[in-house]
């Protein structure tokens, strides 16, 4: 009899190495790094729009969305937020140049816009903008989407795909004395809530996740299987700090909002 697969006996996931082919400035604080390499031929079907890889910088791992993947050209693009001198991945991307190498594990992922939705509610800060843009890329021309994106300023707008039924609201942090995600949360909570079957993708700074989760589940009573919501990063914590405290954060949030009942 074969042993059941557990995290302990699962074979290690392959680490692949790719090379920077070129970089593009998507906006002043967003740099696109396009990677190439034979290792990309080993990547299977990418059925989701939130596919991410774990980039390895020495012993440190950083998680990034695949913005687009071109199988014919064997290229993979990742959009990095340039958030200052702190950290590993942001500064690395800001100075990346052709020929630089990076290794990664993955991709993982699990969400794509559902054809059952009447309205796609896509909400995020700039760290989730690559996943939101990837979702908009695959929506049918007549799909209805309400999109809320928080960025540093109007200079951070970027072209997004979508037909006449896609409404994009950009929220600019420099116009409000608020923390990451606060103005975004307010914008979502005060907008008209769409009628019909709403399916939501809500990601970004952890501090906006609590109020938006409460809003969607408790106030708007959106069924849980119609919502993908989680924090991608947290102010004041690096990725290691956020990932190691995320479980506690989620448990506390669920206890507060679900009365301790796991649903
Ligand atoms: C599934 C998933 C997909 C993601 N996709 C993307 C993506 O496509 N593009 C992207 O840019 N990010 C993405 N992120 C977020 C990214 O992993 C984090 O922002 C990560 O912390 C960046 O690593 P770093 O080495 O630059 O900074 P860290 O060393 O992790 O942090 C250093 C400092 O910078 C702060 N910081 C981290 N991120 C930001 C930010 N965005 N803005 C302002 N301050 C920040 C931290 O709070 C900390 O104080 C994703 C996260 C997840 C979980």
């Amino acid at each position: 009899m074969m042993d059941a697969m557990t995290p302990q006996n699962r074979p290690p996931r392959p680490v692949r190495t790719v090379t920077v082919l070129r970089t593009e400035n998507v906006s002043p604080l967003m740099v696109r790094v396009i990677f190439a390499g034979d290792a990309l031929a080993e990547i299977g079907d990418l059925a989701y729009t939130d596919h991410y890889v774990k980039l390895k910088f020495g012993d440190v791992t950083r998680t990034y969305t695949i913005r687009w993947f071109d199988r014919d050209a064997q290229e993979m693009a990742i959009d990095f937020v340039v958030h200052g001198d702190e950290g590993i991945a942001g500064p690395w991307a800001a100075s990346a140049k052709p020929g630089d190498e990076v290794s990664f594990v993955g991709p993982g992922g699990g969400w794509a816009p559902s054809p059952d939705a009447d309205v796609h509610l896509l909400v995020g800060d700039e760290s989730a903008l690559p996943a939101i843009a990837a979702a908009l890329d695959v929506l049918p021309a007549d799909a209805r989407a309400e999109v809320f994106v928080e960025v540093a300023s109007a200079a951070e707008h970027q072209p997004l795909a979508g037909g006449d039924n896609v409404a994009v609201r950009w929220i600019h942090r420099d116009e409000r004395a608020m923390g990451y995600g606060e103005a975004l949360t307010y914008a979502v909570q005060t907008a008209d809530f769409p009628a019909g079957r709403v399916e939501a993708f809500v990601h970004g700074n952890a501090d906006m996740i609590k109020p938006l989760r409460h809003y969607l589940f408790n106030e708007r009573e959106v069924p849980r299987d119609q919502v993908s919501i989680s924090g991608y990063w947290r102010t004041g914590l690096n990725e290691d700090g956020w990932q190691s405290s995320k479980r506690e954060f989620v448990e506390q949030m669920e206890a507060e909002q679900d009365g301790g009942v796991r649903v």
Side-chain angles (χ1 to χ4, degrees):
M1 198 171 73
M2 275 173 57
D3 287 342
M5 195 66 90
T6 67
Q8 286 71 37
N9 66 15
R10 194 175 292 148
R13 299 209 290 162
V15 179
R16 301 185 169 97
T17 301
V18 282
T19 306
V20 175
L21 188 63
R22 62 183 186 277
T23 64
E24 295 168 2
N25 293 317
V26 178
S27 63
L29 299 177
M30 179 82 88
V31 61
R32 175 165 300 161
V33 181
I34 294 114
F35 299 94
D38 293 344
L40 294 177
E42 298 162 12
I43 305 288
D45 272 354
L46 294 175
Y48 303 117
T49 53
D50 70 340
H51 275 296
Y52 59 84
V53 289
K54 300 264 176 197
L55 300 175
K56 299 185 88 66
F57 300 95
D59 293 341
V60 174
T61 294
R62 294 291 183 259
T63 309
Y64 280 84
T65 304
I66 298 176
R67 173 63 187 87
W68 54 254
F69 191 92
D70 183 333
R71 196 169 294 285
D72 295 334
Q74 277 191 9
E75 293 177 10
M76 175 174 75
I78 293 180
D79 289 357
F80 293 79
V81 177
V82 176
H83 56 85
D85 298 334
E86 269 190 276
I88 309 285
W92 177 86
S95 61
K97 50 184 188 326
D100 289 353
E101 288 194 340
V102 73
S103 298
F104 70 92
V105 174
W111 185 89
S114 161
D116 299 334
D118 295 318
V119 185
H120 304 275
L121 178 62
L122 308 177
V123 180
D125 63 13
E126 50 270 80
S127 70
L129 184 49
I132 290 173
L136 290 169
D137 282 348
V138 303
L139 282 183
D142 62 347
R144 187 166 164 218
E146 301 287 331
V147 185
F148 295 81
V149 184
E150 184 183 294
V151 290
S153 73
E156 294 303 315
H157 291 200
Q158 59 174 265
L160 296 173
D164 292 345
N165 298 329
V166 173
V168 180
R169 291 173 192 76
W170 294 94
I171 291 103
H172 308 140
R173 263 192 309 276
D174 66 345
E175 291 165 11
R176 297 170 176 85
M178 289 178 155
Y180 281 96
E182 279 186 82
L184 178 63
T185 302
Y186 181 77
V188 174
Q189 288 171 333
T190 53
D192 287 341
F193 197 75
R197 181 183 169 98
V198 176
E199 302 232 354
F201 181 84
V202 183
H203 295 269
N205 188 286
D207 294 321
M208 70 188 220
I209 295 303
K210 262 191 199 182
L212 284 175
R213 183 183 185 278
H214 176 78
Y215 175 69
L216 291 171
F217 291 162
N218 301 61
E219 290 181 39
R220 293 294 174 183
E221 298 183 337
V222 181
R224 282 154 205 260
D225 62 354
Q226 290 171 213
V227 179
S228 167
I229 183 166
S230 75
Y232 272 5
W233 67 283
R234 192 162 199 195
T235 310
L237 295 179
N238 63 20
E239 179 162 340
D240 314 86
W242 165 232
Q243 293 297 344
S244 59
S245 58
K246 191 170 178 178
R247 190 190 175 116
E248 197 183 336
F249 173 91
V250 171
E251 282 175 358
Q252 195 186 4
M253 178 172 66
E254 288 176 348
E256 280 168 22
Q257 297 184 358
D258 307 338
V261 182
R262 259 202 119 84
V263 276

